[in-house]
Amino acid sequence: SFALHMAAKDGGITFIHRVDRLGKLLSALEEKTGGIVVFPLWPRAGKAAKRVLVGARKGSSAPLRMSLPIKPYAPEKDRMPAM
């Protein structure tokens, strides 16, 4: 509720949240926000997502949607060299 209180009218809020507690977050957001978008954060190939990125817009009536996953770990050949 603090994030909602601090967001401007029609402002957006974003959370990185645990998958096992996603239901509680969505139920807290659904009354006062809309346009909720859930992005699974996939750790590595063959592993299930443990975290999600959740964005919402205060005062919106847009429906919830699930987006394509974000893969924060690029293949070894695409990574930047260590400094």
Side-chain angles (χ1 to χ4, degrees):
S1 76
F2 176 75
L4 286 173
H5 175 73
M6 295 303 295
K9 181 182 177 196
D10 298 326
I13 54 175
T14 305
F15 299 93
I16 297 176
H17 204 66
R18 292 172 34 176
V19 168
D20 62 338
R21 297 187 182 255
L22 181 59
K24 288 184 179 186
L25 177 62
L26 294 177
S27 66
L29 291 174
E30 70 182 353
E31 291 181 20
K32 297 185 180 187
T33 68
I36 300 170
V37 184
V38 179
F39 296 89
L41 297 173
W42 278 1
R44 292 191 178 2
K47 302 235 180 194
K50 293 181 182 177
R51 303 265 190 258
V52 289
L53 187 64
V54 179
R57 182 136 327 258
K58 188 175 178 179
S60 173
S61 61
L64 168 76
R65 65 186 173 99
M66 186 70 128
S67 184
L68 294 173
I70 296 173
K71 300 175 185 177
Y73 296 102
E76 193 69 37
K77 64 182 175 76
D78 296 335
R79 290 190 186 168
M80 296 290 291
M83 299 235 166

